[in-house]
Amino acid sequence: MSESHSLMDGKLHVYRRENSRFWQCATYLSGRNYRQSTKETNIAYAREFARDWYLDRVAEDRLRRHGVLPTTPNSMVVIPERIAPRRSGEKTFREAAAAFEKEYAAMTLGERNAQYVASKGRVIRLYLNPFFGDLPISEVSAGRIQDYRLQRVTPPEEPQRVRFVSDGRERIGKAKAWKRPSRQTLHNEMVCLRQILKSANRKGWISALPDMSNPYRTSGKISHRAWFSPEEYKRLYEATRERAKNPKKERWREECEQFHDFVLFMVNTGLRPDEAQRLEFRDVSIVEDEATGERILEIEVRGKRGVGYCKSMPGAVRPFERVLKRKNGQPTDLVFGLVQRELLNAILDELGLKKDRDGKPRTAYSLRHTYISMRLMEGADIYQVAKNCRTSVEMIEKYYASHIKNVLDASAINVRKAKPAKGRAGTAQAAKVD
């Protein structure tokens, strides 16, 4: 009589015949019996082998039912790691990406920012399709994904030329200087690739997701975000104020005045640049704070997290009033619109503040980082700062509080245990002996 064990809720059986020293495994899928010798004499090793074998058979059966694998009378179908020809009926990466893009736009309508949704199509069109496009979707393996990473960070042998259409004819523009993509850019591309593969997996076009982890991931060193210290911020707003009073060209006066107010507004509200770009006059109200009696702004913010709210510092009121008067703003008019990056970079270059001491470039986002850092330096509650900035306490602790010395309480750190007086200790010991 053979010895038998049931696994996977009774769908997998591991057994050993009387005249054999090896354990066997068997399962029944889609009207077909599958059997395999584990080549193991130890039941623990045999059970482990059987589980892996069973999951492979389930994956094959799923692909066969979806028409990806041909139906054959053989009980076993060996899938090689790399298959050059495309299987009959198998989808290409380009087709899987198109299906995902259509599905993603429909399912996230009204729930995600329209620009973020559109960015998926741009990533697919410019980067993923040129590399993976004609590849069968099952051929997108961990090795090919690593090859893609390597290709993205390797300078091309020939300068890249921009193709564009003019007068109905395709033309080639001037060579474009290659620039290494940032860590965040590569991360966004990997997120988009993972979403495409997950969509293909749900549709049964692939049996499992490949390993997409970075084999040479860094140790996760914590570094602060580029910001302006109080002294650097003072130099910045004095320079923008001087530029607003004395622009290099008279026709630039209004833009310089607008930019000066933008800098003051951002450092006193902590808005993200894209949130400030979408801000309309009807989203901002000037109110008197009940707790302090100061005039502040109450802002209804629309950004990547949806609709949120922000209460500004008193220093944001005057810049907003100047912008409102200058533009004679109507409720639906934009307060600032597009960020004036060229002017910001020009002033930072003049002041020598374009990069911080670690070589990180300062951008309009650095104004938000300055707001958060200054609030922590002034002793503001970290939870209230996170809530007002529409982020998490963990993000602030990781990227901001780690480099603000003011958040460290020296009195709590430099605690010393009181030492007993020698005379009293000796008297007590003598009394105890007596």
Side-chain angles (χ1 to χ4, degrees):
M1 183 177 181
S2 63
E3 185 179 355
S4 178
H5 301 270
S6 295
L7 305 174
M8 310 301 287
D9 297 330
K11 297 178 181 179
L12 172 64
H13 302 282
V14 180
Y15 60 93
R16 183 171 59 182
R17 297 187 178 94
E18 294 180 358
N19 58 349
S20 176
R21 62 191 183 93
F22 294 118
W23 290 92
Q24 314 286 325
C25 53
T27 188
Y28 183 80
L29 294 171
S30 301
R32 184 180 302 168
N33 285 309
Y34 294 84
R35 294 184 179 87
Q36 175 73 29
S37 173
T38 66
K39 302 295 183 181
E40 298 288 351
T41 58
N42 185 294
I43 182 59
Y45 294 149
R47 289 162 68 99
E48 182 179 354
F49 174 92
R51 287 192 182 93
D52 294 339
W53 173 84
Y54 171 78
L55 294 176
D56 289 342
R57 302 293 77 73
V58 171
E60 288 177 7
D61 181 72
R62 183 180 183 185
L63 292 174
R64 187 176 290 109
R65 285 186 284 107
H66 286 83
V68 177
L69 286 179
T71 303
T72 64
N74 300 329
S75 60
M76 292 289 294
V77 176
V78 180
I79 304 178
E81 183 179 355
R82 303 227 174 183
I83 302 178
R86 177 182 173 188
R87 301 188 188 99
S88 176
E90 185 176 6
K91 302 292 184 180
T92 64
F93 179 87
R94 193 184 308 276
E95 293 171 328
F100 158 75
E101 192 174 358
K102 181 179 179 181
E103 176 186 71
Y104 189 78
M107 296 301 294
T108 60
L109 185 63
E111 297 182 1
R112 298 302 299 265
N113 184 275
Q115 293 181 354
Y116 178 78
V117 175
S119 69
K120 299 292 182 181
R122 186 180 66 85
V123 169
I124 292 171
R125 184 180 71 257
L126 297 180
Y127 305 111
L128 299 182
N129 271 345
F131 190 88
F132 297 106
D134 298 327
L135 200 66
I137 188 65
S138 62
E139 290 289 304
V140 183
S141 61
R144 290 193 183 272
I145 293 173
Q146 184 61 15
D147 291 342
Y148 172 78
R149 286 195 183 98
L150 182 62
Q151 182 260 346
R152 288 288 286 124
V153 299
T154 303
E157 296 180 358
E158 297 182 0
Q160 296 177 325
R161 295 183 178 274
V162 180
R163 295 180 179 272
F164 62 96
V165 178
S166 177
D167 300 330
R169 296 168 59 185
E170 186 180 37
R171 301 178 184 273
I172 300 178
K174 296 181 179 179
K176 183 180 179 181
W178 182 83
K179 181 180 179 182
R180 181 188 176 97
S182 66
R183 182 194 62 82
Q184 186 62 40
T185 298
L186 283 176
H187 172 73
N188 293 340
E189 294 172 14
M190 288 296 105
V191 168
C192 185
L193 177 59
R194 184 182 295 108
Q195 290 173 330
I196 294 172
L197 295 176
K198 283 185 175 180
S199 175
N201 180 251
R202 287 193 298 269
K203 297 177 185 298
W205 296 342
I206 56 176
S207 59
L209 297 180
D211 181 13
M212 298 186 61
S213 60
N214 188 346
Y216 305 106
R217 181 181 299 171
T218 59
S219 60
K221 177 182 177 182
I222 301 301
S223 59
H224 66 265
R225 302 282 177 86
W227 67 303
F228 297 97
S229 67
E231 296 78 13
E232 292 171 334
Y233 170 57
K234 182 179 179 181
R235 291 175 57 196
L236 176 63
Y237 75 72
E238 287 179 347
T240 57
R241 183 173 58 195
E242 178 62 26
R243 185 67 66 92
K245 292 180 179 178
N246 302 298
K248 292 188 175 182
K249 295 185 179 180
E250 185 61 29
R251 66 174 184 271
W252 294 347
R253 178 178 297 278
E254 184 175 347
E255 292 183 4
C256 294
E257 293 174 346
Q258 183 83 350
F259 181 71
H260 174 63
D261 292 330
F262 172 79
V263 170
L264 296 177
F265 181 88
M266 294 292 286
V267 177
N268 283 278
T269 59
L271 267 63
R272 298 179 177 90
D274 62 300
E275 294 171 344
Q277 180 179 332
R278 300 187 191 96
L279 197 65
E280 299 177 357
F281 284 102
R282 60 182 173 180
D283 298 327
V284 186
S285 302
I286 302 176
V287 299
E288 183 174 320
D289 186 30
E290 296 179 358
T292 62
E294 297 176 313
R295 291 200 312 158
I296 64 172
L297 301 179
E298 285 187 352
I299 306 172
E300 187 174 324
V301 183
R302 285 172 167 78
K304 69 176 185 178
R305 301 295 182 187
V307 179
Y309 297 91
C310 168
K311 290 189 175 182
S312 76
M313 294 289 293
V317 177
R318 288 291 301 279
F320 175 74
E321 289 178 334
R322 289 197 294 264
V323 175
L324 180 63
K325 181 179 179 181
R326 185 184 308 119
K327 288 190 169 184
N328 190 22
Q330 301 303 308
T332 58
D333 291 343
L334 294 175
V335 178
F336 294 106
L338 294 176
V339 178
Q340 302 176 47
R341 297 179 182 177
E342 293 79 7
L343 184 55
L344 173 62
N345 291 331
I347 294 177
L348 292 179
D349 287 335
E350 291 176 3
L351 299 175
L353 296 177
K354 179 55 184 175
K355 294 184 179 181
D356 65 2
R357 62 179 299 173
D358 296 324
K360 295 181 180 179
R362 291 187 173 104
T363 63
Y365 230 112
S366 302
L367 301 174
R368 169 181 168 86
H369 306 329
T370 301
Y371 167 83
I372 296 176
S373 299
M374 286 187 175
R375 292 300 90 230
L376 296 178
M377 292 171 66
E378 294 292 336
D381 180 66
I382 191 171
Y383 173 77
Q384 295 296 334
V385 173
K387 193 173 182 180
N388 198 50
C389 291
R390 301 156 305 285
T391 187
S392 64
V393 173
E394 291 77 13
M395 286 293 292
I396 291 182
E397 287 180 338
K398 183 176 182 180
Y399 291 108
Y400 301 98
S402 61
H403 71 287
I404 302 298
K405 64 180 180 181
N406 301 58
V407 302
L408 300 177
D409 187 352
S411 62
I413 296 172
N414 300 332
V415 176
R416 295 177 176 84
K417 189 175 182 180
K419 297 181 180 179
K422 291 184 179 180
R424 294 179 182 178
T427 304
Q429 184 67 21
K432 185 177 182 180
V433 172
D434 292 340

